[in-house]
Amino acid sequence: MFGRVNTSRGFTLLEVMISLVILAIGVMGIIGLQTSTYKQLQTSQNYSKAAMLASGMADRMLANQAQVLAGAYIHDSASSTPPSPNCASAACDDAQLAAYDVWYWQTELLGIDPDDANRKIPGSLPAASGEVLRDATTGEYLILVRWDDDLDGDVGEECAALDPDEVQGEDDLDCYALNLGCLGGPCP
């Protein structure tokens, strides 16, 4: 008839260890979520920058349609030499303005300050490039911006924005495409 008296108080070491393991798993999950959220935020910010850069070039082209139709804005490579005259500080004709617009846009894409080639623009797109194309069949103009969103050295040229049915490969850059349609009249 002796009753057993429970004299233990507090938690056992095993209970504390199990609680710490559960807490550690929860903290690791939160850290993983934060990392994923940051990556998605950076990707979203890069797409916004690409859209602004493409829109800026579209505005330049719409303001100088005669030179667009003459083919002055169609390009696929950057020129490191600023055109003469500098249309930001001197009067230019339409052809000179088109050359300046292309150069200025390319320097923005590369993240270089157009006024100081030795200064990088903070927050620019990583490894960006851009081109303006004209489809010979449809006559439509396309502004394309590419960048290496995950900074892994990708060099591919596929663009899911151009052909949504085509799956982007692992070695391809992220891209943003802006279709201007046909400038100066109906498409052929």
Side-chain angles (χ1 to χ4, degrees), residues 75-98:
H75 70 282
D76 61 0
S77 62
S79 172
S80 60
T81 306
S84 182
N86 181 343
C87 295
S89 60
C92 295
D93 63 25
D94 288 347
Q96 292 168 329
L97 181 60

Side-chain angles (χ1 to χ4, degrees), residues 60-172:
R60 290 179 180 101
M61 291 172 68
L62 292 171
N64 196 357
Q65 289 189 31
Q67 289 302 306
V68 171
L69 296 174
Y73 283 88
I74 297 172
H75 70 282
D76 61 0
S77 62
S79 172
S80 60
T81 306
S84 182
N86 181 343
C87 295
S89 60
C92 295
D93 63 25
D94 288 347
Q96 292 168 329
L97 181 60
Y100 179 80
D101 286 345
V102 169
W103 171 81
Y104 190 91
W105 187 61
Q106 288 293 335
T107 57
E108 284 183 312
L109 283 168
L110 296 172
I112 299 170
D113 185 346
D115 299 321
D116 182 3
N118 296 320
R119 186 172 159 261
K120 290 285 280 180
I121 298 171
S124 56
L125 288 173
S129 65
E131 57 189 308
V132 176
L133 309 167
R134 183 172 189 266
D135 188 320
T137 308
T138 65
E140 295 181 340
Y141 290 88
L142 182 73
I143 300 170
L144 185 63
V145 178
R146 291 186 179 99
W147 69 97
D148 186 9
D149 194 52
D150 51 10
L151 300 171
D152 63 355
D154 289 343
V155 295
E157 295 197 5
E158 296 290 326
C159 183
L162 293 177
D163 186 1
D165 297 330
E166 181 144 344
V167 177
Q168 229 174 337
E170 288 182 19
D171 294 331
D172 292 325

